[in-house]
Amino acid sequence: MLLERVTTTLQKIGNERLQLPIFYESPIALRFEIGDPALPTAGSVYFRAAYLRAAYIYHQAAPFDTLLWVLYRCADTETEVQTLCQQFCEITHLPMPAEVYAQETIAMDNEPFTRIFLLWDIETTVPHMDKLLQAIIHTDFHGFRELSSAVFFLNTTDHILYHLYDDRGLDVVAETKESILPLYQQFQNWLLDYDKKRMQTIFS
């Protein structure tokens, strides 16, 4: 089952409950700056450059076998999950999710909410990666806001997780340093300056 595979990988990378932000909640992690601060924010060149960075890191970190999308629903949430799923599937060219699970939990303000886990086997059905990455990058610019910080790609054999959260950046985490050390070495110029000290400590 996909959920069992994902749960095992989350345990292996040290973030069993999939806590955000992924970088700070995972022992072995990389954080990349995706939106180039030298470019005018929200311009076509800015979005294109952000997409190219995200896609290049994805393909260097691949292969991934499982796609996880997490929806957060409160009592007053209006949009139906079925409607959101249809929109997601239109973007990705995927069928409806292979597995769906709901988890009742409590927010920091003691308000109840539901986390809905939607899973796809992307070895069997490959998503339209270009459109999905671009949609995530556009979430803060009148885009599909339910994609923000909510889409995860997993390699459940080598236990690697790729998380593009919006136009600002992405995290890659793993069970072992060796599995993502090439990314750390290859993309030094894209590592987020603010978190470089922690990454240097991890990979030294």
Side-chain angles (χ1 to χ4, degrees):
M1 294 174 64
L2 298 180
L3 183 63
E4 292 176 354
R5 289 177 6 191
V6 168
T7 300
T8 298
T9 290
L10 295 178
Q11 291 171 343
K12 295 284 188 180
I13 65 175
N15 191 347
E16 184 173 358
R17 297 185 66 242
L18 196 61
Q19 292 296 302
L20 302 175
I22 294 296
F23 176 79
Y24 297 116
E25 297 292 338
S26 307
I28 299 172
L30 293 171
R31 171 157 279 192
F32 297 97
E33 187 169 34
I34 297 304
D36 189 340
L39 297 173
T41 303
S44 59
V45 175
Y46 172 84
F47 287 125
R48 177 64 177 169
Y51 160 72
L52 290 174
R53 283 192 185 188
Y56 196 56
I57 294 170
Y58 177 90
H59 289 296
Q60 292 301 305
F64 296 99
D65 53 65
T66 307
L67 169 59
L68 166 64
W69 180 32
V70 182
L71 283 174
Y72 301 88
R73 318 305 288 163
C74 300
D76 59 352
T77 303
E78 294 181 358
T79 308
E80 294 289 338
V81 172
Q82 180 76 9
T83 301
L84 296 173
C85 276
Q86 291 172 348
Q87 187 173 349
F88 186 89
C89 292
E90 288 174 6
I91 293 170
T92 59
H93 295 184
L94 287 170
M96 297 300 280
E99 297 177 20
V100 179
Y101 302 92
Q103 179 189 65
E104 303 298 329
T105 188
I106 301 293
M108 293 182 67
D109 60 2
N110 291 322
E111 288 296 321
F113 72 97
T114 304
R115 290 203 303 178
I116 301 175
F117 297 84
L118 304 104
L119 299 113
W120 289 262
D121 182 340
I122 55 175
E123 286 185 311
T124 302
T125 308
V126 180
H128 195 305
M129 286 301 304
D130 293 348
K131 286 189 175 181
L132 179 53
L133 295 181
Q134 289 170 4
I136 296 170
I137 287 169
H138 280 80
T139 51
D140 284 343
F141 301 90
H142 307 291
F144 187 9
R145 60 185 178 84
E146 280 82 3
L147 299 182
S148 180
S149 298
V151 180
F152 307 87
F153 297 89
L154 299 102
N155 176 329
T156 62
T157 300
D158 297 327
H159 307 301
I160 300 171
L161 182 148
Y162 170 103
H163 178 224
L164 173 65
Y165 44 90
D166 55 29
D167 66 292
R168 293 168 295 173
L170 70 84
D171 298 334
V172 180
V173 303
E175 178 185 16
T176 67
K177 291 187 289 187
E178 291 74 19
S179 60
I180 57 174
L181 180 60
L183 299 178
Y184 174 73
Q185 296 171 330
Q186 183 176 357
F187 301 113
Q188 282 282 319
N189 292 338
W190 294 352
L191 297 175
L192 189 65
D193 285 338
Y194 183 82
D195 294 306
K196 270 190 176 179
K197 186 175 181 179
R198 178 173 186 248
M199 288 182 276
Q200 288 167 351
T201 300
I202 294 171
F203 291 92
S204 62

